Amino acid sequence: MDFETIIYEVKDNICYITINRPKALNALNVQALTELSKALDVAAEDENAKVIIITGAGGRAFVAGADISAMQMMTAEEAYDYARLGQTTYNKIQDLPKIVIAAIDGFALGGGCELALACDIRVASEKSQIGIPEVTLGVFPGFAGTQRLPRLVGTGMAKEMLATARKIHAAEAKEIGLVNYVVPENPVAKAEELAAQICKNSMSAVALGKRAMNEGMEMELKKGIEHEAALFAVAFTTADQREGMTAFLEKRPANFK
C-alpha cells in the first residue's frame, strides 16, 4: 500500500500493520492516524488477511503516544476533532470481524496504550512499558483510554494509572491483565504463533464470537445471553458450521473456507 507512516503487508494469512515513524518513537499525528484508519479498511476487505498484527517500527516503541508538537497549539474544537479521529480509528479495530493482536516492543504510552487496548490480544516484550501519562501534560486520555482501560483492568487500577501517570512494566501488566503474554524479546514471533493457531479455525465463527463478546459486554447480562443465542443461530447458516461438524464426525481436519 502507498502509505508514508504505515507499512502494510500480508503473508501466510497474517496482515502486518506497522506504525513506521521510528524517529518519533512512532508517535501518532493526524497523518499516521488517517493512514492507520485506511489500512484497517483495507485489512477488513482483504480475504488473504485472516488475523492482523499491529506493531511499531524501530524496536524502541510500539507507539510512544500522540504527537505532542502537533497538539500543543490546538484549540478546543481541534482537540475534539483529533480525539474523535483517534476514537473512530480505534473503534475500527474493535469492530473488525477479525482478531487483532498488538505486538508491543518498548513504549506503549498514551495513544499507544490506547491503541493496544483496542486490540483483542496483547503481547509485550519484557522491556516494554505501558501507561497513560497524559495528566503530566495537562490533559487526559482522549482515544477511549478512560473507557477501555477500566473495563480491562478494573476501575481502581485504571484510576491509579491515570492519576499517577506511572509506567507499568511488562511483568506487572501481565499480572493485572493488561497484556496476555510477556516474552523475553520479539513479541511479533509470539503474535505470529497465536495468529497461526487462530487461522486453523473457522473465521466466521471467530468473527461471530468476537461480536457476541463486544456487543454483549455493553448489555445487561440476560440481554447479552439472548444476543449470544441469536448469533449462535447465525453460525448455523454458514458453510463453516457444516464443514466443521462433518469433519469432526468423519474424524478428519476441517477445511474451512
Side-chain angles (χ1 to χ4, degrees), residues 1-253:
M1 300 302 298
D2 187 19
F3 296 127
E4 294 182 5
T5 65
I6 300 290
I7 300 172
Y8 181 98
E9 53 189 340
V10 178
K11 181 180 179 182
D12 297 331
N13 295 132
I14 301 173
C15 172
Y16 299 84
I17 298 177
T18 304
I19 313 299
N20 189 33
R21 300 188 71 217
K23 291 183 179 179
L25 296 180
N26 302 319
L28 295 170
N29 56 12
V30 170
Q31 181 183 8
L33 282 170
T34 301
E35 291 188 353
L36 174 59
S37 180
K38 291 179 180 178
L40 292 167
D41 290 340
V42 173
E45 299 299 324
D46 192 337
E47 294 183 358
N48 293 318
K50 293 184 176 181
V51 179
I52 299 161
I53 296 175
I54 297 180
T55 191
R60 296 177 60 199
F62 173 67
V63 170
D67 191 328
I68 305 305
S69 62
M71 296 171 60
Q72 183 182 10
M73 301 305 295
M74 281 183 180
T75 65
E77 291 78 10
E78 290 169 337
Y80 177 83
D81 291 341
Y82 185 55
R84 289 300 293 154
L85 173 61
Q87 291 170 356
T88 54
T89 299
Y90 291 4
N91 284 346
K92 288 183 179 183
I93 296 171
Q94 177 176 301
D95 296 338
L96 270 175
K98 302 178 182 184
I99 295 296
V100 184
I101 305 173
I104 304 165
D105 193 20
F107 296 111
L109 305 176
C113 176
E114 292 169 295
L115 175 57
L117 291 172
C119 296
D120 302 298
I121 301 169
R122 286 155 292 280
V123 180
S125 65
E126 289 179 348
K127 72 178 183 183
S128 296
Q129 297 183 53
I130 306 171
I132 47 172
E134 286 91 336
V135 295
T136 66
L137 302 171
V139 294
F140 66 91
F143 293 173
T146 64
Q147 306 306 304
R148 289 195 173 100
L149 186 60
R151 284 169 166 79
L152 188 63
V153 304
T155 303
M157 178 57 71
K159 287 180 178 178
E160 178 193 332
M161 290 178 64
L162 167 74
T164 64
R166 73 183 180 93
K167 301 176 183 66
I168 303 293
H169 287 273
E172 183 179 357
K174 175 70 166 58
E175 289 179 3
I176 65 175
L178 184 51
V179 302
N180 298 71
Y181 295 93
V182 175
V183 294
E185 57 185 7
N186 192 13
V188 172
K190 179 63 178 180
E192 289 172 335
E193 177 186 325
L194 292 167
Q197 186 173 355
I198 293 167
C199 286
K200 295 177 182 177
N201 301 317
S202 162
M203 292 298 99
S204 63
V206 168
L208 286 168
K210 174 177 174 175
R211 179 181 168 189
M213 288 186 181
N214 284 346
E215 296 176 351
M217 286 291 291
E218 304 303 318
M219 299 177 181
E220 183 269 335
L221 179 59
K222 289 185 178 179
K223 290 293 184 182
I225 292 171
E226 291 174 6
H227 187 54
E228 177 189 80
L231 293 176
F232 182 70
V234 172
F236 280 76
T237 68
T238 67
D240 275 5
Q241 177 267 332
R242 292 186 291 277
E243 167 60 16
M245 293 190 177
T246 299
F248 178 84
L249 293 173
E250 294 178 354
K251 296 181 171 56
R252 61 171 175 82

